[in-house]
Every structure is written in C-alpha cells, then in structure tokens.
Amino acid sequence: MAATLGPLRWWQKWRRCLSARDGSRMLLLLLLLGSGQGPQQVGAGQTFEYLKREHSLSKPYQGVGTGSSSLWNLMGNAMVMTQYIRLTPDMQSKQGALWNRVPCFLRDWELQVHFRIHGQGKKNLHGDGLAIWYTKDRMQPGPVFGNMDKFVGLGVFVDTYPNEEKQQERVFPYISAMVNNGSLSYDHERDGRPTELGGCTAIVRNLHYDTFLVIRYVKRHLTIMMDIDGKHEWRDCIEVPGVRLPRGYYFGTSSITGDLSDNHDVISLKLFELTVERTPEEEKLHRDVFLPSVDNMKLPEMTAPLPPLSGLALFLIVFFSLVFSVFAIVIGIILYNKWQEQSRKRFY
C-alpha cells in the first residue's frame, strides 16, 4: 500500500516547523496537527522527525571534499557538480564513493536518498548500479558496488545489471538489502541472492522525473520504500523485522562500473531522527548491540584473527626450534653409533 508523500513540500514545511524553537512556528505545527496532517504513526506511539544536518547532504554541497574539516568525503572518481554529486561517469572501469565523516548514534532513523541513474547503454548493456551503506568502516574501496567485501553493517543495493544468466523471474534494475557481520561475501555471480533479506524490481534508469529511496530503521524494524513513478508516493519494497544494527556506524554511498557503465548521481541524502515511544518491555528488548544481526537468520560467527607475534616471541620460537633440532640430531648420532658397535660385535 502506498504512503502519500504529499508531494514532499508538506513534509519539508512540517519538518521546518518541528525543528523550530520559537512559539510562532510551534503554533503553526499545532495548526497542522489540528488539520489532520500530523506526524506518521510508526508502531505504538507517535513519531517525530528531526533533520540531522551533520548526516545530511543537499545543494550547494557545502562541506563536501577530501579535507579533515569536511562533513562528507569523496573517494575515487566521485565529483561534485552544481546539481548533483556524480559517483561514476558513464565510462568503463570507474569507481567512486561519498562518505559521511560523522558516526551516527541515533537509535531510530530514516534516510531519504534522491538519486538518478542514466546513460547511453541500451537494454542490459549498462551497469552496475549503486549502493547505500550504514557500516562500521568507511572509505574502503572494493568490489561490492565500489565498497569493501565482508563489510560490517547494512548495505542497500540498486543493481542495474543481471549477472546470473539463468535467472528468469527477476526483472532488473532490482533493489535488495543485506546485513553482514563481516563474515559474508557478496555473491556477484548470483546478484547477491544467497545473502539478501528481500528485494523488488525498480525501473529507475533514464527517467525524466525524480527518483527517491527511503531506508527507515525503527524499533529493530527495517523498511525500504521507493518513489520512482513520479507520483510522489512511497511504494513498499522490503520490510524485515528483527534487524539489529549497532550505533556509531557511518552512512555512505558508492558505485562502480566495469565493461558496462552508467552515470550514477546523488542529488541529496537527508537523515531524520525518529523519536518513537517505547514501552518498558520494548526498552529492555531494544538494548544496544555490538554486531549486526537479523532475528531468525543465522550468520556465520566471526573468528577473531590471531594477534601478531612480538619480536621476542618470534625469537624464542626460532631459538627453541633450533635447540630441539640440534638435540634431535645429537640423539640420532648417538643411537646410530651404538647400532654400528652392536653390528660389529655380532660380526666378530
């Protein structure tokens, strides 16, 4: 069932009112509530949304760069343009990313992504898509839509090219999601199917109107919706309960091209803090976690790597190995000499 956006203007007006401190804007908020246009209900209790500017990005893209003072960092072939940030151009073998420098410690949140994918490639001759991340590590280039494999956190993929030749029932472009504790690899040959939480078809290429994706995380409930039809309505895509994501991870987006290519553009990223009422029982259940997981989904346990040996430990291992080798050689020589003496005595 679609949820009305309305067409984004009311949301912007309502959020400005909600974040205001002065009495006049609060009065306007009360008028909105009285008119039946109040906050959405999420679970039990009302949800209030506040724009978090330190985790958001919009034109004219101030605070984007490569320096330590920037809130957002570019990587690879990503470029800042006047109307968008281009992660990759419509050229082969390009890779780019955009990462927030500030870790997010919000408990419940909603990320709205305004993006555009377009290019000269015809049907099934374009790729590869883009990803939106909420992960422990940032600025780590790799093969998974421009990010590292075996990531720790949440990845949402807008995959525009089908790698699995035998698949028939899935229509691309396709949106999917994956939660990883660092033990899983993204299977490119099967388009991530073995590890996906869910997905839906999303025809997003070469459209002449705005395309949006929203990722909402409330009370351990992950919901992904899209507005890609130009109707200003959210359409359901993925809904997964029991998703456990730690706080303190980073938001980012990345893209990669190979033999096939597309322009992958991000127009805005807007993160909203959701203030949700919880019962005492929910407070106990929704305690902080330290490793991503999904209820009723078995993720392989992470095996901690052995710490590197110190110089002293390495010296002792080599020293005692040599001593043992010399001792074994001496014992072998003694036994060999005794055996020769016994053989000579039997001969005479």
Side-chain angles (χ1 to χ4, degrees), residues 20-51:
R21 301 282 184 185
D22 59 287
S24 61
R25 290 192 176 184
M26 287 305 296
L27 178 60
L28 180 56
L29 172 62
L30 292 175
L31 290 174
L32 285 172
L33 290 170
S35 65
Q37 295 179 317
Q40 287 184 321
Q41 295 284 333
V42 180
Q46 282 192 330
T47 299
F48 296 90
E49 302 184 350
Y50 302 86
L51 179 66

Side-chain angles (χ1 to χ4, degrees), residues 329-345:
I329 291 172
V330 171
I331 294 297
I333 292 173
I334 293 173
L335 292 175
Y336 178 74
N337 290 334
K338 286 186 177 181
W339 176 79
Q340 280 190 327
E341 289 179 2
Q342 290 177 357
S343 297
R344 284 195 294 267
K345 286 180 182 179

Side-chain angles (χ1 to χ4, degrees), residues 235-248:
R235 251 198 311 133
D236 293 336
C237 179
I238 301 171
E239 189 168 357
V240 185
V243 176
R244 301 170 184 268
L245 297 176
R247 292 197 272 184

Side-chain angles (χ1 to χ4, degrees), residues 11-274:
W11 285 102
Q12 293 169 355
K13 181 192 296 184
W14 176 66
R15 282 165 179 148
R16 285 198 298 270
C17 295
L18 194 57
S19 60
R21 301 282 184 185
D22 59 287
S24 61
R25 290 192 176 184
M26 287 305 296
L27 178 60
L28 180 56
L29 172 62
L30 292 175
L31 290 174
L32 285 172
L33 290 170
S35 65
Q37 295 179 317
Q40 287 184 321
Q41 295 284 333
V42 180
Q46 282 192 330
T47 299
F48 296 90
E49 302 184 350
Y50 302 86
L51 179 66
K52 306 302 290 184
R53 299 190 183 280
E54 66 272 24
H55 301 297
S56 300
L57 174 74
S58 59
K59 293 180 283 189
Y61 306 122
Q62 296 176 348
V64 179
T66 57
S68 59
S69 60
S70 303
L71 287 176
W72 293 85
N73 291 148
L74 298 174
M75 186 176 68
N77 300 113
M79 297 181 295
V80 179
M81 315 297 279
T82 56
Q83 299 298 317
Y84 51 82
I85 293 178
R86 177 151 292 170
L87 299 177
T88 58
D90 191 0
M91 300 173 63
Q92 294 179 337
S93 303
K94 299 296 181 181
Q95 181 172 323
L98 173 70
W99 284 94
N100 192 202
R101 289 188 65 249
V102 183
C104 177
F105 289 93
L106 301 182
R107 195 175 187 182
D108 305 286
W109 47 265
E110 175 183 297
L111 179 66
Q112 292 188 6
V113 184
H114 184 186
F115 68 98
R116 187 172 181 230
I117 301 176
H118 57 105
Q120 300 298 319
K122 303 301 180 181
K123 183 178 180 181
N124 290 337
L125 293 176
H126 49 78
D128 286 325
L130 61 82
I132 301 104
W133 303 99
Y134 175 69
T135 56
K136 180 180 179 180
D137 302 296
R138 60 186 292 273
M139 304 290 284
Q140 300 293 324
V144 185
F145 295 90
N147 191 36
M148 64 183 290
D149 197 8
K150 295 190 176 181
F151 60 90
V152 179
L154 169 70
V156 177
F157 312 120
V158 184
D159 192 351
T160 57
Y161 181 76
N163 291 295
E164 189 174 6
E165 296 179 357
K166 296 181 180 180
Q167 70 87 22
Q168 299 291 335
E169 74 281 0
R170 183 168 293 189
V171 179
F172 282 72
Y174 194 85
I175 296 175
S176 63
M178 173 181 175
V179 169
N180 199 351
N181 62 3
S183 65
L184 302 174
S185 288
Y186 180 85
D187 189 342
H188 285 277
E189 298 302 318
R190 299 182 61 190
D191 301 310
R193 289 193 186 203
T195 54
E196 72 177 30
L197 297 177
C200 66
T201 294
I203 307 303
V204 295
R205 285 193 74 251
N206 290 339
L207 300 179
H208 300 293
Y209 43 81
D210 292 335
T211 49
F212 297 87
L213 182 71
V214 65
I215 305 169
R216 175 179 289 170
Y217 182 65
V218 179
K219 292 185 176 182
R220 303 276 173 83
H221 202 104
L222 178 68
T223 304
I224 299 174
M225 297 181 289
M226 55 187 177
D227 172 23
I228 60 172
D229 301 317
K231 298 179 180 179
H232 302 293
E233 292 180 348
W234 289 127
R235 251 198 311 133
D236 293 336
C237 179
I238 301 171
E239 189 168 357
V240 185
V243 176
R244 301 170 184 268
L245 297 176
R247 292 197 272 184
Y249 284 9
Y250 296 92
F251 286 105
T253 179
S254 65
S255 178
I256 194 170
T257 65
D259 294 334
L260 304 175
S261 62
D262 254 339
N263 296 305
H264 298 93
D265 301 336
V266 173
I267 293 92
S268 68
L269 294 163
K270 295 182 179 180
L271 185 75
F272 297 91
E273 179 181 9
L274 306 181

